[in-house]
């Protein structure tokens, strides 16, 4: 009986902390999506092209979630940049963008960041 109770508690508690956020946005008139999945101390970010990255939780309250991490864009010959995603848990909207190193002349600072809508599962 203790085993069944323990298994039930473990299954229930893991589902409470499980969080999956499906988001969509328009990029160059093309619809794109990505998925954020909460793990122990970060979020797994899966892009439209099934590339996987991990974003650290920078700030979180019951109303907002801010994620980010440093990425290296050497394959674009652009160097390091910090990616940030700000998610409003109430409206289910997000805004995200990349902030390059101040001396980086190859990567432009965006005038507008990506934004879109999400569904939380």
């Amino acid at each position: 009986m203790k085993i069944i109770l323990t298994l039930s508690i473990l299954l229930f508690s893991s589902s409470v902390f499980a969080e999956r956020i499906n988001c969509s946005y328009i990029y160059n008139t093309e619809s794109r999506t990505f998925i954020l999945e909460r793990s122990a101390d970060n979020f797994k970010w899966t892009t439209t092209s099934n590339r996987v990255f991990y974003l650290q939780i920078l700030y979180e309250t019951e109303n907002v979630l801010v994620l980010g991490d440093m990425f290296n864009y050497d394959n674009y010959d652009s160097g390091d940049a910090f990616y940030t995603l700000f998610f409003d848990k109430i409206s289910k909207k997000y805004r995200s963008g990349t902030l390059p190193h101040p001396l980086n002349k190859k990567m432009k600072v965006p005038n507008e960041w990506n934004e879109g809508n999400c569904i939380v599962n």
Side-chain angles (χ1 to χ4, degrees):
M1 187 62 148
K2 287 183 182 180
I3 294 173
I4 294 172
L5 180 61
T6 303
L7 287 174
S8 298
I9 291 172
L10 287 174
L11 288 174
F12 177 75
S13 63
S14 65
S15 66
V16 168
F17 293 107
E19 185 175 3
R20 182 180 167 117
I21 304 170
N22 298 296
C23 300
S24 63
Y25 63 101
I26 303 295
Y27 181 77
N28 289 339
T29 70
E30 180 182 322
S31 178
R32 296 192 179 185
T33 62
F34 64 88
I35 299 169
L36 297 168
E37 294 175 282
R38 185 185 293 267
S39 61
D41 60 349
N42 60 25
F43 273 80
K44 178 178 154 186
W45 172 31
T46 306
T47 67
T48 298
S49 58
N50 288 323
R51 294 180 65 196
V52 174
F53 303 96
Y54 291 89
L55 299 173
Q56 302 300 312
I57 299 169
L58 303 177
Y59 179 78
E60 184 172 24
T61 66
E62 66 180 54
N63 296 330
V64 299
L65 172 66
V66 180
L67 306 173
D69 213 334
M70 184 67 84
F71 289 97
N72 185 284
Y73 294 87
D74 276 346
N75 54 334
Y76 298 107
D77 199 28
S78 297
D80 292 333
F82 196 85
Y83 176 82
T84 307
L85 185 140
F86 193 120
F87 175 66
D88 182 296
K89 294 178 181 181
I90 305 301
S91 69
K92 308 292 190 273
K93 293 183 182 287
Y94 83 93
R95 182 171 288 149
S96 67
T98 303
L99 183 62
H101 187 285
L103 300 179
N104 185 332
K105 301 295 182 200
K106 294 181 181 179
M107 183 181 278
K108 294 181 180 178
V109 177
N111 292 330
E112 294 183 32
W113 291 33
N114 289 332
E115 53 187 29
N117 298 305
C118 304
I119 298 171
V120 179
N121 302 32

